[in-house]
Amino acid sequence: MSVANAIESRRSCHLFDPEQALDDAVIARLATLASRAPSAYNCQNWRFIAVRSASGKAALAAAAYGQRKVSDAAVTFIICGTLPPQHGLAAALQPAVLRGDVSAALAASWVSQASDTFHDQPQLQREEAIRSASLAAMTLLLAAEGEGLASCPLSGFDAAAVRQAFALPPEQLPVLLVSIGHAASGNAPQKPRKALSELLQLA
Ligand SMILES: Cc1cc2nc3c(=O)[nH]c(=O)nc-3n(C[C@H](O)[C@H](O)[C@H](O)COP(=O)(O)O)c2cc1C
């Protein structure tokens, strides 16, 4: 499947087959693909919690206002952005330094720039967490499509309830849920989009 095909065929699935689970190896592959998303300085300021147990799904569905897809999908990922984004950046850059893609001096300068940008800037930290987690979530949606799986992003959840149910530490901000599994019958196709003339400006 080409990337264009995946983008065009993906739809927000509202009816999942509750009988079809996913192996943890598939869940790990999806998370690995999601982790290929880009992030500022390659901060990788995200965490993915894959909720696939019956008790976990029940707790998450309750925090998502009873949205049925959270109970029925094989897995729902809680996509968290982490704060502050520069935390752990030096270690995150180390593999690129060791491979010779980024010089040690450049990596050090990125750590310094990121620290200068985000230190004592909770609003900027939060914005970056949402940016990174959103890109990871979109990558996860396309990864699911590429694996022949159905998916749906959800922002309809009570963040405080999710935090409490999954004991999220303060530095993990739940940004989006992404339900993934096998589609049941009866799902509508992707919804039509606005005309390009309404959204594209050539400058
Ligand atoms: C940020 C975001 C939040 C969303 N939250 C929900 C949600 O809580 N429940 C739901 O059923 N769908 C949710 N959706 C799915 C949208 O309704 C869907 O993407 C949109 O209607 C377009 O449909 P399509 O993806 O099938 O083209 C969300 C999508 C996004 C991007």
Side-chain angles (χ1 to χ4, degrees):
M1 181 187 280
S2 72
V3 175
N5 288 153
I7 291 169
E8 287 170 352
S9 64
R10 184 212 57 79
R11 60 185 173 180
S12 291
C13 176
H14 298 293
L15 299 168
F16 286 92
D17 180 350
E19 303 302 325
Q20 294 200 62
L22 291 178
D23 290 343
D24 282 354
V26 174
I27 292 173
R29 173 165 171 73
L30 291 168
T32 302
L33 289 169
S35 77
R36 295 295 191 105
S39 54
Y41 300 107
N42 199 22
C43 276
Q44 303 165 66
N45 50 321
W46 44 52
R47 292 274 297 172
F48 313 137
I49 298 147
V51 181
R52 84 292 191 242
S53 68
S55 59
K57 284 192 211 178
L60 190 55
Y65 310 117
Q67 291 200 64
R68 182 75 189 271
K69 49 185 78 73
V70 177
S71 318
D72 287 350
V75 60
T76 296
F77 288 83
I78 306 169
I79 310 292
C80 295
T82 56
L83 313 162
Q86 79 276 17
H87 183 84
L89 177 55
L93 291 174
Q94 197 56 18
V97 173
L98 289 175
R99 211 170 66 176
D101 303 337
V102 174
S103 71
L106 183 59
S109 78
W110 285 358
V111 171
S112 166
Q113 277 176 36
S115 300
D116 289 348
T117 302
F118 295 115
H119 181 67
D120 273 347
Q121 294 289 340
Q123 177 74 20
L124 291 184
Q125 291 181 17
R126 192 179 161 86
E127 288 170 6
E128 203 58 46
I130 293 171
R131 258 195 287 273
S132 295
S134 298
L135 285 166
M138 188 66 235
T139 305
L140 180 59
L141 292 170
L142 292 179
E145 195 66 28
E147 300 286 315
L149 296 167
S151 64
C152 186
L154 297 93
S155 64
F157 63 90
D158 178 341
V162 169
R163 180 177 295 291
Q164 186 177 24
F166 294 90
L168 300 184
E171 64 272 15
Q172 288 181 25
L173 179 71
V175 172
L176 268 173
L177 306 183
V178 175
S179 293
I180 297 178
H182 291 272
S185 58
N187 281 289
Q190 187 184 88
K191 295 183 191 71
R193 296 303 197 249
K194 294 177 182 174
L196 195 59
S197 56
E198 290 184 57
L199 51 101
L200 176 65
Q201 177 182 347
L202 296 172

